[in-house]
Amino acid sequence: MRIEIAGDSALIAYFSETPSPEVSQRIQQTQVALLALMGESIVDTVVSYASLLIVFNPLQTDFWAVKNALVQSFSHENTTASDAGRLVTLPVYYSEESGPDLSALALAAGLSVAEVIDIHQQQEYRVYAIGFAPGFAYLGEVDQRIAAARLATPRMKVPRGAVAIADRQTAVYPAVSPGGWNLIGLCPQRMFDPDKTPSMPVVAGDRVSFESITRDEFLRLGGEL
């Protein structure tokens, strides 16, 4: 683990050069142990693919104390069931109606549309990070057979709930926004709701699976076309 200063009241720990489910789990373990050690002197932590940003209260602690606690937390060997993250299943209405890039992605991959849908549903995805927008969870990694480069020209408007693929990542757009990922379906589940607690259905370290639903089920669950 490499630790660097990230400001006058923050530091960042790099766990690996390459993200993986094992690295993600180790970051989560370290985060939990660090928060238990440092309590309210830690203002915030931000998990990414292979790093952990720690923001601390400089009136309560300092860089060296946090660094020492971080090293101690990294060495913590107490693995619990929660380290695997919760499994959250998200419903998806896969179709050419709801996923305008589905056919093109299938054609480029040499697969049928049904095969792309099946492959996308066949595995669990790790929430590596939350970013870009509140509730936007970066999920990895999709099967290599359906990995697809970002669009050459991003869309100005991607609908809320759009399920998308870019490279070997997949995600659900939490709100209407610009976007360059390949759209393959729509999810009626809101990924960010500031009026709810918690405001997001997933956090970094959780696992996500996708489950196909019909058009009628999508609409009944509150989805919009």
Side-chain angles (χ1 to χ4, degrees), residues 194-206:
D195 295 326
K196 287 188 175 180
T197 302
S199 57
M200 298 181 293
V202 298
V203 298
D206 283 345

Side-chain angles (χ1 to χ4, degrees), residues 143-195:
D143 189 291
Q144 183 65 55
R145 290 173 291 173
I146 60 171
R150 290 170 170 78
L151 302 177
T153 303
R155 290 183 171 86
M156 295 298 293
K157 185 178 180 181
V158 172
R160 186 181 76 190
V163 179
I165 290 175
D167 302 319
R168 295 195 64 183
Q169 302 172 102
T170 186
V172 180
Y173 279 79
V176 176
S177 69
W181 292 34
N182 300 272
L183 309 184
I184 62 171
L186 285 171
C187 173
Q189 167 73 50
R190 292 196 65 172
M191 299 303 290
F192 178 69
D193 187 343
D195 295 326

Side-chain angles (χ1 to χ4, degrees), residues 87-88 94 117-126 139-146 168 170 207-211:
L87 176 60
V88 178
Y94 296 98
I117 295 170
D118 285 343
I119 293 169
H120 190 252
Q121 293 180 93
Q122 281 174 359
Q123 65 188 75
E124 295 175 2
Y125 301 95
R126 188 86 176 182
L139 311 175
E141 295 179 322
V142 301
D143 189 291
Q144 183 65 55
R145 290 173 291 173
I146 60 171
R168 295 195 64 183
T170 186
R207 295 166 294 134
V208 170
S209 65
F210 293 102
E211 181 178 57

